[in-house]
C-alpha cells in the first residue's frame, strides 16, 4: 500500500458523531466504524475503505513472510473445473460434506468455487515438472476462498467467502517434505507475528477434509474461537483432543463400558470391522484408532447397519460378542483397561454390573490390564502424558494450519519427476493456510480495550490518526497540509480528522478506531510542535514532525 | 509491489532453454514464457508469478489514477444475493441473456457471481446516505468478475473470470452526475495511459446490459479486438455504429425497402408498435429508434408474433399496411427518404419495383422526402455528419467503458437523500469499468515486435532484466548480489537471469520477455561498469549502477 492520506470529512461511510461505543462488541465496532459491512448474502461481507486497508496489509505481511523465505506468489482462479477436482476424489468428498459451492455454465460445464487450492497448485506444478533438479517448488497465493457453511457466524470468523493465504510445497522425498513443513510453520509464525497476533501457539490437529496425515494448527486462545483444544494445566502441552496423547480422567463412581463398532479401511484396500471398548463418559477418537491400527480410514458403523455386520443391535455389543467373531479386531481403550469394577450391556436393554476383568472367569482371554491403548479423545480432566498435569478444555481461534500431504494429491493427479537414479517418482506435498479475514477480526478482538479498537503498528487502517483541532481555521488547514505532505513523503499512511467538531469528540473517535498513534495538531502549540499519543501506552509526547516515523515504525 | 528480485534459476514454471519463439503469437508468448496458464475450465486462467506481477501493477496503476482524483477504494465480494439483484430486475435480465453464473447454498440461498457491481455499490452507499452534504460519493474497486460467456476466447481477452477495475459515483443532481462522468473518463484515461496503452480513443457506445443511457467506450485499434466501430476517414470521428450519427452509404443499383416492426416501451409504461422503413442493405439501430421516439426500450417483434400484432406475415409489411393501423408509429430512415426509385414487398413472396415516393399517387400522406431520420446502424461506407468523409469499419479492443446511469439503479433500490430544500431526492449514478486482464494482453499485443514482448516502464513483470554472464563464477555471483542489493534498495524490481547458459541464449530470453531495460553483468567489464540495453530503442549504454534507476523510471 502506498503512503496516502484519507480524510474523515470525505470518508465513506461518513464518520458520524457518536458512531460506535467503547462498550460495543468487537464485531459491532468493525461494523459501526465502517470497516466492513454485511451484504444481504449470509456469511458474505464487503470490505469498506478502512477495512480493506487492514485486509491488504495483513495479506501483504503474509506474502512477504513467504516470499522472503523463497516462495513464489501466483494467483489461482475462483472457478475450478469439476474434472480437476474429480481426479483427487474431492468433488464428491466436499459435496458429501455439503461444503462445495458449484456452478454450471449455460454450455453445461460444471465448476466449483475454490475452497482450497491443492488441485490447482498440483496441476500448475505438474504441467512443468521434469526432474529432481526442478524441486523443491514452493508456491504462495492469497485469494478468496468459498465454503458452503450451513451456519456462517461470528462476522468474519467463519464466512461463505473469505480470504485465505495458502502455500503449497513439492519435494523429491519425505525428508524434503519435512523441511518444507518446517518452512511452512516458520513462515506462518512470521506472518502471524507480523500481523500483531501475540500468543500464537501450535497444536497437533486433525487434517479434516485436507489431509489424512499429521497436521499442525496455529491457534490463539480466545473465547470467540470455534476450536476446542485441551491444554495441560502444568506443562502447557496443547492440542486437538482427537490427536493429543492422554491418560483417561479418573473414573466415575459406577463406570459403564461401551463397545463401539467401526469399519477400518486398510492401505491395501481391505476392509475390516473393529470394536473399541471404552468408558461411556469418553468418546472414541477415529484418528487415534487409525494411528493404532494403521488404517487409512476409520468410519463408525451406523446403528441400522450393525445387525448385518456384527449380528447385534446398537448399544448391546459386548467384548464376548466380538471375541466370537474372529475377523473383528477388538481394542480396549486405556480407560477400560484400568477399571476394577464396571457395568456392561446385558445384551438387551439392561446392564450387568459388578464385573471385573480379573474376577469374571469367563473372560480370561479378554484380560486387558496393562494392554489398554490411548483411543479416546482427550477432554477436560484427561491427564497429561508428559507430566503429572491435567488437561483443561479451552476455546481457541485457528488462524493457520499446516498439513503434511505426502502423495495424497500428487499420486492421483499423476505428478511425476525423474529422480537422481533416473527413475520416475512422485513428488511429496505439504501445504498451509492462513485465514486472513479471520485474522483481521481476531487481531481486533485480541487487542481491543475498554476505549475501543487498538491496532499493532503496521496492521491498522493507517499508521497515524491526525487529529486537527480548529480545522475550520485557514492557518490550521495549512499546517495540516504541510504535515500530510511531510509524513506521507516519509512513508506513513494517515487518517486525517478534519471535521469541524470539538476536540473531545475527535479524540474519542481516535481512541475508538485505535490507530497505534494519534498526532494532535493544535492552534495552542507552536508550528514545530506536535502532540503524539500512543494508543498502547496512553502516553503523550510533545515532539517534532521528523520524529514521528521512528515512533510509528512497526516492531 | 515491493522492490524485489526474482531469479530465473528458481522461477516456476522453470525458464527452459528455447521456451518461446519470437514468431509466436502474443498469447502463445504469454503461455510459453510462463505469465499465465490455462486451467481446464474454459475461459479461466491462472496468473503465474511473472503474469501476476503485470496484473498487480496494472491494477495498482488504475487504483492510483482513481484515488489521486479523490475516489475511495473498497472491495465488494464475489457472492451476491439474488434478492439484491432482483431489486433492479437484473437477476432476470442477465439470466435471460444466459450471462449470469449462479450458485445455491445447501440451505437454499441463491446467489450470483458478480458480473459488475452497480447493485452492491448502490447498497453500500444507500445504507449510509442521508443528506446532500454526503454527496458526491466516488468509490473504486478492482476485483474478479464473472460472466457466463458461451464461447470464451482470445485467452485473456474475453474470459468467464476476469479482473475489472470499476468505479461508481453518486451525485445530488444531473449536473453533478455529468461532472462525475468527466471524472470517470479522466481517471480511465490516466489509468490506461499509465498502463502504457497508447492510441486510446473514446467513442459513443451502446450501454448494453449496464445502462439505458449514453455511454463512452475507451478503445484501442487492434485486429485482435472484438468490437467493430466506424471511423470517419477524414475527420477521425469514431464510434459504435449503433449510436454514431451518419448519412446512409450511396444506394445500390436496385434498392429495396424493408419495413421492420418493433414494440416501444414508453417511460410511462405504455407500449406501442412501431415500423421502420429502411433500405434492405442497412440495419435498424434500436438505440437510434429509442433516441428518436423517447422510448425506454425498443424490442424487435419476433416473426411468429407479427401476424397477431400487425396482421401481416414477416417480410411482407409495407408502409401502406402501417398507415392503416393508426396506433402504429411509422418511421422512415434517411436511407429510404432520399430514394428516387425502389422496390418493396408486394404483400406476398414477391417485390413491386419501380416505385417512387413522388410518383406513386397512392402515397401522398407518406411522402417522406426531407423527413427521413437517422435510424440505421452506421457501417462501412456510411457518410460522416461532421465532414464530407466516409465511415470505415475498424476492429478495436474495448479497454474501458463509462456509463451515465441516472437513477436507473438508485430509484428501484430506494436510495434517497434530503436535498438543499429539505425534500427527499434520488441520487444520480454513473460508473466505469476497466478490463485489467484484457489490458494485460492488449498492452502485450500492442507493443510486441519481431523479437518478442516489450513492456512499457512500470508495467512489466519487473523493471530490469539482469543478465549475468558466467554466472557460475564466484566473483560474478558476488557482483550480482551487490547489484541486486543496490537496485532493489533504490526501488527497482528485478528479474535476475543467473542460469549457467551461454550469453546468446540469455540475451534472446531477455529480448523475448521484453522488460524495458536489460542490465548485462559481464566479467569482461570493470566492476563499476554495466551495460544497459533499452528494449524499445535497442540502444546499449555503458553506465554505472547508480544511473540505472533514472534510466528505468516510467514516463
Ligand atoms: Zn503436562
Ligand atoms: Zn468526418
Amino acid at each position: 500500500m502506498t503512503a496516502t492520506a484519507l480524510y474523515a470529512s470525505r470518508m465513506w461511510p461518513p464518520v458520524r458523531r457518536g458512531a460506535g461505543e467503547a462498550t460495543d462488541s468487537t464485531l459491532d465496532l468493525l461494523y459501526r466504524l465502517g470497516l466492513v459491512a454485511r451484504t444481504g448474502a449470509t456469511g458474505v461481507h464487503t470490505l469498506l475503505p478502512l477495512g480493506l486497508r487492514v485486509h491488504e496489509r495483513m495479506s501483504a505481511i503474509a506474502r512477504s513472510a513467504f516470499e522472503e523465505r523463497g516462495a513464489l506468489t501466483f494467483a489461482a482462479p475462483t472457478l475450478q473445473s469439476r474434472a480437476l477436482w474429480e481426479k483427487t476424489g474431492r468433488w464428491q468428498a466436499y459435496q458429501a460434506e455439503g461444503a462445495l459451492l458449484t456452478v454450471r455454465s449455460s454450455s453445461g460445464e460444471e465448476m466449483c468455487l475454490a475452497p482450497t487450492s491443492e488441485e490447482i497448485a498440483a496441476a500448475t506444478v505438474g504441467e512443468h515438472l521434469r526432474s529432481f533438479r526442478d524441486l523443491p517448488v514452493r508456491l504462495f497465493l492469497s485469494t478468496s476462498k468459498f465454503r458452503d457453511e450451513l451456519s456462517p457466524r461470528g462476522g468474519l470468523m467463519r464466512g461463505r467467502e473469505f480470504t485465505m493465504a495458502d502455500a503449497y510445497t513439492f519435494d523429491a522425498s519425505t525428508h524434503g517434505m519435512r523441511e518444507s513443513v518446517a518452512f511452512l510453520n516458520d513462515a506462518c509464525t512470521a506472518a502471524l507475528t507480523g500481523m500483531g497476533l501475540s500468543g500464537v501457539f501450535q497444536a497437533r490437529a486433525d487434517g479434516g477434509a485436507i489431509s489424512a496425515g499429521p497436521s499442525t494448527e496455529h491457534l490463539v486462545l480466545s473465547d470467540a474461537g470455534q476450536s476446542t483444544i485441551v491444554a495441560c494445566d502444568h506443562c502447557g502441552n496443547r492440542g486437538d483432543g482427537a490427536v493429543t496423547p492422554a491418560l483417561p480422567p479418573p473414573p466415575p463412581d459406577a463406570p459403564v463400558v461401551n463397545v463401539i463398532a467401526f469399519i477400518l479401511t486398510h492401505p491395501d484396500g481391505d476392509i475390516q470391522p473393529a470394536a473399541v471398548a471404552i468408558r461411556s463418559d469418553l468418546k472414541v477418537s477415529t484418528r487415534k484408532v487409525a494411528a493404532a491400527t494403521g488404517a487409512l480410514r476409520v468410519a463408525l458403523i451406523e446403528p441400522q447397519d450393525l445387525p448385518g455386520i456384527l449380528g447385534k443391535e446398537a448399544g448391546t455389543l459386548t467384548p464376548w460378542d466380538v471375541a466370537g467373531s474372529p475377523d473383528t479386531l477388538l481394542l480396549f481403550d486405556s480407560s477400560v483397561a484400568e477399571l476394577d469394577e464396571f457395568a456392561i450391556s446385558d445384551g438387551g436393554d439392561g446392564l450387568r454390573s459388578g464385573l471385573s476383568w480379573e474376577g469374571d472367569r469367563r473372560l480370561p482371554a479378554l484380560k486387558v490390564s496393562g494392554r489398554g491403548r490411548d483411543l479416546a479423545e482427550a477432554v477436560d480432566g484427561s491427564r497429561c502424558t508428559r507430566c503429572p498435569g491435567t488437561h483443561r478444555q479451552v476455546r481457541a481461534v485457528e488462524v493457520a494450519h499446516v498439513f503434511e500431504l505426502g502423495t495424497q494429491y500428487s499420486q492421483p493427479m499423476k505428478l511425476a519427476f525423474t529422480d537422481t537414479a533416473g527413475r520416475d517418482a512422485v513428488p511429496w506435498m505439504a501445504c498451509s493456510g492462513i485465514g486472513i479475514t479471520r485474522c483481521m477480526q481476531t487481531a481486533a478482538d485480541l487487542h481491543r480495550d475498554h476505549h475501543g479498537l487498538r491496532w499493532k503498528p503496521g496492521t491498522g487502517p493507517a499508521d497515524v490518526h491526525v487529529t486537527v483541532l480548529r480545522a475550520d481555521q485557514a492557518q490550521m488547514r495549512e499546517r495540516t497540509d504541510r504535515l500530510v505532505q511531510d509524513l506521507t513523503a516519509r512513508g506513513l499512511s494517515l487518517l486525517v480528522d478534519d471535521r469541524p467538531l470539538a476536540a473531545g469528540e475527535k479524540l474519542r473517535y481516535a481512541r475508538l478506531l485505535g490507530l497505534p498513534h494519534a498526532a494532535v495538531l493544535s492552534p495552542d502549540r507552536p508550528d514545530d510542535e506536535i502532540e503524539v499519543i500512543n494508543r498502547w501506552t496512553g502516553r503523550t509526547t510533545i515532539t517534532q514532525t521528523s520524529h514521528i516515523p521512528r515512533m510509528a515504525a512497526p516492531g
Side-chain angles (χ1 to χ4, degrees), chain A:
Chain A
M1 189 172 61
T2 45
T4 49
L6 292 172
Y7 291 82
S9 65
R10 297 170 233 166
M11 184 59 60
W12 196 267
V15 184
R16 309 270 191 212
R17 198 188 306 227
E21 295 292 337
T23 51
D24 285 343
S25 74
T26 301
L27 182 57
D28 279 341
L29 280 177
L30 296 178
Y31 287 138
R32 296 186 67 186
L33 292 172
L35 276 79
V36 300
R38 294 181 188 85
T39 63
T42 313
V44 181
H45 284 83
T46 288
L47 292 165
L48 295 169
L50 292 178
L52 176 62
R53 287 172 162 241
V54 176
H55 185 271
E56 288 176 331
R57 286 185 148 192
M58 294 204 164
S59 194
I61 287 166
R63 179 172 175 171
S64 293
F66 281 82
E67 286 189 347
E68 280 167 11
R69 287 165 177 75
L72 291 166
T73 304
F74 80 118
T78 287
L79 292 174
Q80 301 193 358
S81 79
R82 175 173 178 154
L84 183 64
W85 280 69
E86 282 193 331
K87 285 184 184 167
T88 58
R90 287 216 300 175
W91 181 274
Q92 288 78 2
Y94 264 93
Q95 289 271 49
E97 250 193 278
L100 206 61
L101 290 168
T102 61
V103 293
R104 179 193 287 268
S105 77
S106 46
S107 58
E109 199 173 324
E110 281 187 280
M111 292 164 285
C112 68
L113 277 61
T116 73
S117 313
E118 283 78 9
E119 281 79 359
I120 192 95
T124 300
V125 168
E127 200 182 337
H128 296 276
L129 184 60
R130 290 188 197 166
S131 139
F132 68 92
R133 288 187 196 87
D134 298 332
L135 297 173
V137 178
R138 293 171 177 175
L139 298 178
F140 171 85
L141 73 165
S142 181
T143 55
S144 292
K145 305 293 190 303
F146 301 83
R147 205 182 143 84
D148 190 1
E149 289 289 349
L150 258 179
S151 50
R153 57 193 162 169
L156 309 179
M157 296 306 284
R158 184 175 284 269
R160 280 215 185 107
E161 176 171 352
F162 53 94
T163 304
M164 171 115 78
D166 31 353
Y168 300 86
T169 62
F170 302 80
D171 282 274
S173 65
T174 330
H175 175 72
M177 177 186 74
R178 298 257 153 76
E179 282 184 352
S180 283
V181 166
F183 154 85
L184 294 169
N185 276 312
D186 180 41
C188 283
T189 300
L192 297 169
T193 306
M195 289 178 200
L197 290 169
S198 38
V200 176
F201 63 94
Q202 298 182 15
R204 282 179 215 86
D206 179 337
I210 309 288
S211 164
S215 75
T216 306
E217 279 182 336
H218 293 238
L219 297 140
V220 180
L221 292 182
S222 162
D223 287 339
Q226 289 164 359
S227 302
T228 301
I229 59 156
V230 291
C232 172
D233 60 9
H234 186 69
C235 74
N237 183 30
R238 287 181 269 212
D240 186 330
V243 293
T244 300
L247 297 168
D253 281 347
V256 175
V257 171
N258 283 345
V259 178
I260 315 291
F262 298 89
I263 289 290
L264 312 183
T265 307
H266 292 291
D268 58 7
D270 278 3
I271 63 165
Q272 179 186 24
V276 179
I278 188 168
R279 235 165 56 198
S280 65
D281 57 318
L282 297 172
K283 201 164 165 280
V284 175
S285 159
T286 53
R287 295 298 292 231
K288 289 186 177 179
V289 173
T293 59
L296 269 188
R297 276 193 301 280
V298 177
L300 189 72
I301 299 178
E302 296 297 328
Q304 69 271 22
D305 300 332
L306 198 62
I309 297 170
L310 290 172
K312 297 285 288 185
E313 291 299 324
T316 69
L317 206 60
T318 67
W320 296 260
D321 305 317
V322 181
S325 159
D327 291 344
T328 304
L329 191 63
L330 178 60
L331 299 164
F332 290 84
D333 178 57
S334 44
S335 65
V336 155
E338 66 181 17
L339 290 179
D340 291 329
E341 191 178 308
F342 55 89
I344 202 162
S345 169
D346 64 2
D349 290 343
L351 288 175
R352 282 177 60 195
S353 57
L355 296 179
S356 75
W357 302 119
E358 297 292 340
D360 193 317
R361 298 228 177 90
R362 290 169 309 168
L363 284 177
L366 299 176
K367 186 173 172 306
V368 291
S369 293
R371 291 204 291 126
R373 306 196 201 190
D374 175 16
L375 302 174
E377 291 190 4
V379 292
D380 202 275
S382 301
R383 284 163 292 149
C384 183
T385 57
R386 293 199 190 166
C387 84
T390 299
H391 287 141
R392 295 292 160 222
Q393 264 182 351
V394 288
R395 296 187 70 72
V397 179
E398 179 196 332
V399 284
H401 208 145
V402 176
F403 301 88
E404 282 190 23
L405 301 176
T407 60
Q408 185 179 346
Y409 294 86
S410 46
Q411 190 124 47
M413 292 188 65
K414 300 198 188 346
L415 266 62
F417 66 95
T418 310
D419 69 12
T420 49
R423 288 169 309 215
D424 269 5
V426 177
W428 292 72
M429 287 176 63
C431 73
S432 66
I434 300 175
I436 297 291
T437 335
R438 180 181 290 184
C439 283
M440 269 178 75
Q441 187 171 334
T442 301
D445 200 44
L446 213 58
H447 298 318
R448 68 158 302 169
D449 64 6
H450 58 288
H451 293 301
L453 300 179
R454 203 160 51 155
W455 301 98
K456 292 273 187 182
T459 69
D463 296 315
V464 180
H465 195 123
V466 178
T467 300
V468 185
L469 306 186
R470 305 304 308 267
D472 51 323
Q473 295 182 356
Q475 172 227 343
M476 291 308 291
R477 284 200 299 273
E478 273 167 39
R479 277 178 66 179
T480 307
D481 289 348
R482 280 202 305 278
L483 182 71
V484 166
Q485 202 157 25
D486 201 356
L487 292 183
T488 54
R490 290 163 192 263
L492 291 176
S493 62
L494 311 177
L495 176 68
V496 182
D497 190 349
D498 55 346
R499 296 174 300 158
L501 295 179
E505 168 64 20
K506 294 170 80 161
L507 291 171
R508 187 195 77 94
Y509 173 58
R511 270 198 309 274
L512 203 58
L513 185 62
L515 301 196
H517 293 86
V520 183
L521 267 188
S522 160
D524 301 339
R525 291 205 176 277
D527 257 30
D528 58 345
E529 273 185 25
I530 190 160
E531 197 178 313
V532 176
I533 307 170
N534 183 314
R535 178 70 176 82
W536 286 83
T537 62
R539 210 171 45 211
T540 299
T541 314
I542 311 300
T543 187
Q544 287 167 335
T545 308
S546 57
H547 292 158
I548 297 180
R550 196 172 33 77
M551 296 169 76

